[in-house]
Amino acid sequence: MTDLTPLIAFRWSPRSFDPDADLGPAEIDLLLEAARWAPSAANRQPWRFALGHRDDETWKRIMVNLPERDQRWAGRAALLLLAAHLTPATEPAAETAYDLGQAVAQLTTQATALGLHARQLRELDRAGLTSELELPATIRPAAVVAIGRLGNPLDLPADLIEAETGLRRRRPVADLLLAHPTATPISQSGRSFPDLSPAT
């Protein structure tokens, strides 16, 4: 991982946010600018965001629609950002969701550049968020991103500390590559593609 850009290598999704740290307007503007310049099919930019600053009304409405187990740590974040996408009748929702994912990825990378951290949540009450935030039917909530500065992991509930302080792991590249079962295995960094032929 030493050759990766630090913006990728040092990206991390913690739960241990500093409950006393806030984000400045300039930082939030940069996060949104990074998302705004994400790749987008036909430049449609189908992503939409709702910003909840700690303890404001939007923050509270987002918070109550998160699972209780995640509310325990998400409440420490300076910002809860609802990431949503358009669902126009003329375009598959999967395409607009894909573009939203790229926008959130760029926002997350920009957060790293600012010395911030972001943790994304996909398990949420979408119907509740739609109602609480009075979203139109053409907007689908997809994720909530908790953003803030790093806090002390030992301040987390006891059952979360081990997960927070454990080693980060990723699958090896060879596990991520696909090859036709009849093809000659291709080496990647000295490793071969896994055999994808049916078990016998």
Side-chain angles (χ1 to χ4, degrees):
M1 206 163 78
T2 55
D3 293 333
L4 283 176
T5 172
L7 296 181
I8 296 175
F10 297 147
R11 184 211 59 78
W12 178 43
S13 302
R15 299 176 182 85
S16 50
F17 291 102
D18 183 344
D20 298 317
D22 293 318
L23 301 188
E27 292 173 308
I28 295 172
D29 287 347
L30 282 171
L31 295 175
L32 296 176
E33 274 295 297
R36 189 167 77 96
W37 285 101
S40 174
N43 199 28
R44 294 186 182 94
Q45 304 169 53
W47 44 76
R48 299 293 183 270
F49 302 113
L51 301 179
H53 303 264
R54 187 189 292 115
D55 293 329
D56 75 7
E57 191 62 28
T58 300
W59 188 93
K60 292 174 183 176
R61 290 171 186 249
I62 294 173
M63 177 68 73
V64 298
N65 287 288
L66 300 179
E68 289 186 9
R69 67 175 182 277
D70 291 324
Q71 291 183 26
R72 296 181 300 163
W73 59 264
R76 300 167 179 264
L79 188 74
L80 293 179
L81 178 145
L82 172 65
H85 61 88
L86 298 177
T87 57
T90 58
E91 190 172 3
E95 293 186 13
T96 59
Y98 179 86
D99 280 7
L100 170 64
Q102 297 198 80
V104 172
Q106 289 203 177
L107 182 149
T108 300
T109 301
Q110 183 64 51
T112 303
L114 294 171
L116 305 171
H117 291 278
R119 186 175 183 88
Q120 302 172 37
L121 296 166
R122 289 274 294 127
E123 187 176 340
L124 39 97
D125 184 345
R126 290 175 176 79
L129 284 164
T130 298
S131 175
E132 289 275 1
L133 298 176
E134 301 180 2
L135 302 178
T138 54
I139 298 291
R140 175 172 170 75
V144 168
V145 187
I147 305 169
R149 290 182 169 77
L150 197 61
N152 185 351
L154 299 182
D155 290 339
L156 290 170
D159 61 312
L160 297 179
I161 292 176
E162 182 177 355
E164 187 75 357
T165 57
L167 291 176
R168 298 173 63 201
R169 300 183 185 278
R170 282 293 189 271
R171 294 178 180 273
V173 170
D175 287 359
L176 309 178
L177 300 174
L178 300 174
H180 191 278
T182 62
T184 301
I186 302 172
S187 176
Q188 172 73 20
S189 301
R191 294 169 292 192
S192 296
F193 284 99
D195 181 4
L196 300 181
S197 56
T200 57

